[in-house]
Amino acid sequence: MPPHPLATTPLHFGPFPITPQIFHLTPLSFALVNLKPLLPGHVLICPRRVVPRLSQLSTAEISDLFLTVQRVSRMIERVYAADALNVAVQDGVAAGQSVPHVHAHVIPRRNGDMEGRGGGDRVYEMLEGEEGDVGAALREVERQRKREAEGNRAFAKPDAERLPRSLEEMEEEARALAKEMEREVD
Amino acid sequence: MPPHPLATTPLHFGPFPITPQIFHLTPLSFALVNLKPLLPGHVLICPRRVVPRLSQLSTAEISDLFLTVQRVSRMIERVYAADALNVAVQDGVAAGQSVPHVHAHVIPRRNGDMEGRGGGDRVYEMLEGEEGDVGAALREVERQRKREAEGNRAFAKPDAERLPRSLEEMEEEARALAKEMEREVD
């Protein structure tokens, strides 16, 4: 695989290596596409340093993280032709955090986008429920990689219903979003 | 009324004057107690400048806003003996924003705090639904103030079920939290 255009050293989201999913990198933060987006364009922004709580971040890290949220949000709203955005941090396990690494969800919203899926508030319910469990989805991918590495073909393709997006699909989206980030000016 | 210990000029949350509810003030941001907290300790952090969208904030305003979120969060977690926090910005009407002024919700969470209220994800549902409609609650208070000013006593006390917290109760909480903020060190 050619070196990642943005990240020369491997980056992790909690314990998970996610370099190919990264579409934006700053001195202290990165933005990655989501394994199981709740809505199209649902992305995550993390500090580079792997710590679980907002309170553990330095002043510089907090500033960089949320300036990155702002810059990425503008791009996501433009590219996904959204009307608004939800920005949410589940800061700790009791708040629904599933990967022990600070991450801000950015979810583009359109008027009426959740009609037929239970109404607008359902996006939050999904975020905290099983559908938004980023940790479970990443663990499933890790298990799948391990099984494939072990050559256990019988288990290589889990139930398509439960299957998170493919690495190829995420890489493709990450490359497209990285290009779109270049168009953002402050 | 004596002058507010923090704010010498009136501060607004969208169109609403909320100076007595403020418990923390920085050069570019303020924190206020909530009219209808979803859980005890649910507070709001706003930029001083009244604009609806995160994208409209300057670099300095974004930094100050989220450093204030971090500082206030630490205090709220300590004072309310919480295990975690939800931090959420409804950035635009289609994302559930009810007052056209950027505001970050900070909601302290405890393990199992939403049991008997529909589970942990219900806090988000409430945030976007009627229970968390800060705008509707503030408009109700405005109507009440107007009716009282007009001397229409028959309408002065609306249905206790729907009544948001009293101004006195909020002022008392704001004074207590302002004291607690003094104990926070970076």
Side-chain angles (χ1 to χ4, degrees), chain A residues 31-160:
Chain A
L32 70 153
V33 301
N34 209 336
L35 201 55
K36 290 181 101 176
L38 294 180
L39 285 169
H42 174 188
V43 298
L44 308 173
I45 327 293
C46 303
R48 286 198 189 210
R49 198 158 59 89
V50 182
V51 290
R53 300 298 308 276
L54 280 175
S55 63
Q56 297 171 289
L57 298 179
S58 70
T59 299
E61 284 170 324
I62 287 279
S63 292
D64 191 86
L65 182 67
F66 287 99
L67 286 167
T68 306
V69 165
Q70 186 192 40
R71 200 173 302 121
V72 167
S73 293
R74 278 190 192 131
M75 180 277 286
I76 289 289
E77 186 163 335
R78 173 173 59 76
V79 170
Y80 288 87
D83 301 309
L85 300 151
N86 284 114
V87 176
V89 181
Q90 296 162 307
D91 190 31
V93 175
Q97 187 184 43
S98 64
V99 174
H101 183 168
V102 173
H103 54 288
H105 295 264
V106 170
I107 307 174
R109 299 292 303 273
R110 289 180 187 174
N111 297 315
D113 56 8
M114 294 295 289
E115 280 167 24
R117 289 178 80 176
D121 46 16
R122 270 283 294 154
V123 79
Y124 285 116
E125 206 176 320
M126 288 154 70
L127 193 63
E128 193 149 327
E130 207 180 320
E131 287 162 285
D133 192 338
V134 185
L138 287 166
R139 284 188 293 276
E140 173 59 26
V141 165
E142 285 296 293
R143 276 193 297 272
Q144 196 185 335
R145 278 195 193 127
K146 209 176 161 196
R147 284 190 298 251
E148 284 177 0
E150 288 166 358
N152 189 341
R153 310 300 290 170
F155 288 95
K157 288 182 194 302
D159 182 0

Side-chain angles (χ1 to χ4, degrees), chain B residues 20 24 43 54-55 87 109 120 146:
Chain B
H24 188 61
V43 298
L54 280 176
S55 63
V87 177
R109 299 291 303 274
K146 209 175 160 197

Side-chain angles (χ1 to χ4, degrees), chain B residues 138-156:
Chain B
L138 287 165
R139 284 189 293 276
E140 174 58 28
V141 165
E142 286 296 291
R143 277 193 296 273
Q144 195 185 337
R145 277 195 194 126
K146 209 175 160 197
R147 285 190 298 252
E148 284 177 1
E150 286 166 357
N152 189 341
R153 308 302 286 170
F155 288 95

